[in-house]
Amino acid sequence: MEKEICKISIATSWLGDEYTFYEDQHRIKRIYDNHSLNSNNVEWLEPQQISKQNKDKLVKNCPEDCKEQIMHILDYP
């Protein structure tokens, strides 16, 4: 398993939405809830599959010590 860089939550309510970034820059794991009876869904994403709005939230909520690396992975301006 690749080394984890960080986990970032962009949940806006009681529904979870967490992204885990790995050193392999093409692997981003997302764990999210659709609703209370459908939770902890897992999907593996590539940076281009993440919306601009969610990229904004991820960078905003990113820990300072890994922000530059996450911005590079997301190809964030």
Side-chain angles (χ1 to χ4, degrees):
M1 178 57 91
E2 288 290 324
K3 185 177 177 213
E4 182 180 303
I5 299 170
C6 69
K7 289 183 181 181
I8 304 170
S9 174
I10 60 169
T12 55
S13 63
W14 50 273
L15 295 175
D17 196 5
E18 181 178 77
Y19 292 74
T20 305
F21 290 82
Y22 295 91
E23 286 187 351
D24 174 358
Q25 295 183 5
H26 301 289
R27 294 173 52 88
I28 301 166
K29 182 171 145 182
R30 179 182 180 216
I31 301 175
Y32 64 98
D33 302 338
N34 282 331
H35 52 74
S36 61
L37 299 175
N38 186 358
S39 60
N40 292 326
N41 296 293
V42 176
E43 66 180 346
W44 290 92
L45 301 171
E46 294 190 18
Q48 64 269 23
Q49 294 175 284
I50 300 172
S51 71
K52 166 82 166 86
Q53 181 181 6
N54 281 351
K55 286 181 180 182
D56 290 343
K57 292 177 188 176
L58 287 165
V59 170
K60 180 182 174 200
N61 293 337
C62 184
E64 282 299 320
D65 62 329
C66 57
K67 188 171 279 196
E68 186 176 319
Q69 191 173 10
I70 297 305
M71 288 174 70
H72 178 73
I73 291 169
L74 291 173
D75 194 25
Y76 191 80

